[in-house]
Structure formats: C-alpha cells, structure tokens
Amino acid sequence: MLIQIYYEQIYMEKELLLMLPGPVPIPERVRFAMSRQAINHRSPEFGAAYADCVRVLKTAFGTTNDLFVISGSGTAGMEAAIAGVGRDKEIACIVNGKFGERLYKISQRYGKAHEIKSDWGTPVNLEALKAQLETGAQIVTLVHNETSAGIKNPAEEIGKLCRKHDALFIMDGITSIGGDVVEADKWGVDIAITGSQKCFAAPAGLAMVSVSKRAWERVTRNPPYYLDLAAYKKSASGTPMETPYTPAVPLFLALRESCLMIEEEGLPVRIARHKKMSGAVQAAAKTWGLSLFPKTDKLHSCSSTVTAIEYPAGVRDDEMRGIIKKMGIVIAGGQDHLKGKIFRIGSMGAVSAPEILATLAATQHALTKCGFQRKGDGVEAAAEVLG
Ligand SMILES: *Cc1c(COP(=O)(O)O)cnc(C)c1O
C-alpha cells in the first residue's frame, strides 16, 4: 500500500512528455527566462525584449510588415485580425478542419461570413472560393496548417486568388510559422497569425500578428478596444517599444529566449528538422500499415508539424492513449467528430530524435496491446529516417 502510494506520487510528479500539437515541451532556457523579478513594461529593458521577438518573428513570418505580440492565446490573434478588418465585410472562410471552422465562427460575429467547406482533412474547394471572390468577397480566411486534420493547405495559391480579386488575405499560421516555410509577403498574406505554444516552444499565452499596408488601409473605424491593432502599432512605434496595455511580461521574456534559440539554430535548419521529425512519424505509420488521415493532392500535403493517423478498426482511443500516458508520453486524439477516429503526434517546437523515437516506441507497444497486428516495425522505419 505504502509502496503503491509512493509510486503514484512519483508518477504524479513526473513530467509528462507532451507530443501534442501544442502546448509542447519548453526548453529549460525558456523556462528560466520567466523566473525573475518583475520588470517595468514601460522601460528600455522590456522594449529590447519586445524588439528581439519582433526581429526573429519577422523572419519566421517571411514579412517586413508591422508585427505585434498580443497577450492572449492564438485565438486572440485570430479575433484581432477579423475584428480589425472584417466588420460588416463579405468574408469567405475556407474550412477543412476545426480551426478553419473557428475563423468562420469569429467572422460570423463581425461580418457577413460565407463558409467554403470541405470535409476535414480533404483539399480546400478552390472553385467555390473563386465563385465567392467573383461575387464580391472582400476578405478570405485560411488555416495554413490545419492542426485538427494534419493537412497543409495551399496558402500561396490562395494568396494569388486574393490578389487577383483585390481581397484581403488573413492566414492562421499558428502551427506552421516557426516550424515550416512561410513567406507571408511573397504569398500576399495581409494578416498572418501565430501563437507562442506551438512551433515556438514557448509557454502558452501570446499571439503574434503581422499586418500589411493593404490591411492598414482597410481597417475598420470601430475596432474592438483590447484587440485594436492600431493601438498596438502606435505603442510599438515608440522608443522604447511598448504594448498599449500591461503585457504578460514573463511570457514575453520567455518568447524572446525562444526566438534567440531559433536564431541560433537557424530558421532553415529548424524547418528541416520539423520535416525530418514528421517524416519519421509518417514512416512509422506507413510501416505499421496505418493510413495518414489527410487526403492530399498536388496542392495539399501532410503537415510537417503534426501527423494525423487513422485508428485501425478495433483500437480504442482512450485505451491506446492511456497506455502511452502510463509511459509518460501524451499524444493527441481527434477533435469533435474525429474523436476515436484518429490520433495525432505533434513534432513541433524543440523536439528531435529522442522524443520522436520514444513516442513511436510507446505507440507501437500500445497498438499491439490494443490488439492491432502491425505489418512492420515502425520504430525501425523511423530510426532509419532519423539515423
Ligand atoms: C492551436 C491552434 C489555434 C488556437 O490557438 P489557441 O492558442 O488555443 O487560442 C488556432 N489555429 C490553429 C491552426 C491551431 O493549431
């Protein structure tokens, strides 16, 4: 009994390895950056930290546009964008997963939203988008990397269509920016958004938003108060750089450390690492004989920051993820109607071969325990990719 309690206590206190599509493990340096005495957010010291963040973020976004950090999770950035330019406008919302749906719901609050829907994890309907643009859509929303389904959408293609019809392009890059190639300026993205707890491997609670000149020309005259982009612009253009209201200072300090780590690693190296890690997960799934969930074509591909895998018949989600969690690792299930149908392994942030191999070994074991007869050794296949 005592031993049991002792064991459970150790287990409870043990850190779990979060292989989720956010939040993700936070490097020690980043955690340490937060544990210090409070600093004044209207000081050169804070301004320098904010400036460091913005410098690195601009490279990760592929933009020279204005860029701000908002205290609030990624969704705050989504709402700042839509509320900022979308009030009473015709908004075409591309939906092929949970987060596309969220952009649609936010758009419904502020403008006249039109859903351009395809099944989760299937290609976006470009023909329907064209039709919507021809009938006067002024804004298009897209999730670049649809986390709920593990599919990467053709942002560049959609950017071209937006330009052709002079529509603003709002892109949720929350699980691509910092982990995959994003060229906001080249693709014609007017407002791009990301969040701190995904590819940046920082704590949750910050949203980062870039705003183009075209978007500034079309901002609404009645913006929300806390999420007013113009207020962020005004405060950020002073010396020192500031935010309009008291920011989550410890999170900014943590994000700065994450950004410095990105600079040290080098963005292209970081992006290649994400591709390799997700490639190892994909190789394991295929070798087991499991299907990847996204239905891709030449414009769409599997995400390189989160891999969505279909459950084989008979394997129960709660049972499988329960076995994996007992080994100290947390992976994600499906959301909404995909609950029990898919599982998702995040490979974003700071993770590399040790975390991926441990996760795949635990998953392989759990699949077997749940009665699945695998075709081949997925861990071996992944090691082949990583070695
Ligand atoms: C996580 C996520 C969000 C939401 O971010 P929160 O930080 O939970 O508000 C939005 N879009 C995508 C694609 C995401 O993965």
Side-chain angles (χ1 to χ4, degrees), residues 284-291 309-316 319-320 323 343 363-378:
K286 285 179 195 154
T287 306
W288 290 327
L290 298 183
S291 304
I309 301 166
E310 285 178 15
Y311 270 114
V315 175
R316 275 183 39 204
E319 190 186 354
M320 188 183 90
I323 293 168
F343 60 97
T363 304
Q364 178 162 302
H365 174 72
L367 282 166
T368 306
K369 281 248 163 166
C370 291
F372 174 64
Q373 299 240 328
R374 66 170 189 267
K375 274 212 190 110
D377 185 347

Side-chain angles (χ1 to χ4, degrees), residues 267-317:
L267 190 64
V269 175
R270 187 182 183 86
I271 290 169
R273 174 168 58 76
H274 279 78
K275 198 160 178 61
K276 192 169 183 180
M277 296 308 129
S278 57
V281 179
Q282 291 167 12
K286 285 179 195 154
T287 306
W288 290 327
L290 298 183
S291 304
L292 300 175
F293 179 68
K295 305 290 171 282
T296 57
D297 60 13
K298 64 181 197 310
L299 287 178
H300 297 71
S301 56
C302 283
S303 166
S304 64
T305 62
V306 55
T307 304
I309 301 166
E310 285 178 15
Y311 270 114
V315 175
R316 275 183 39 204
D317 175 60

Side-chain angles (χ1 to χ4, degrees), residues 21 73-76 78 99 102 143 145 147 172 174-175 197-198:
S73 76
T75 307
M78 296 158 93
F99 294 103
R102 184 171 299 178
V143 176
N145 187 80
T147 317
D172 169 341
I174 296 185
T175 50
Q197 82 278 27
K198 310 271 172 116

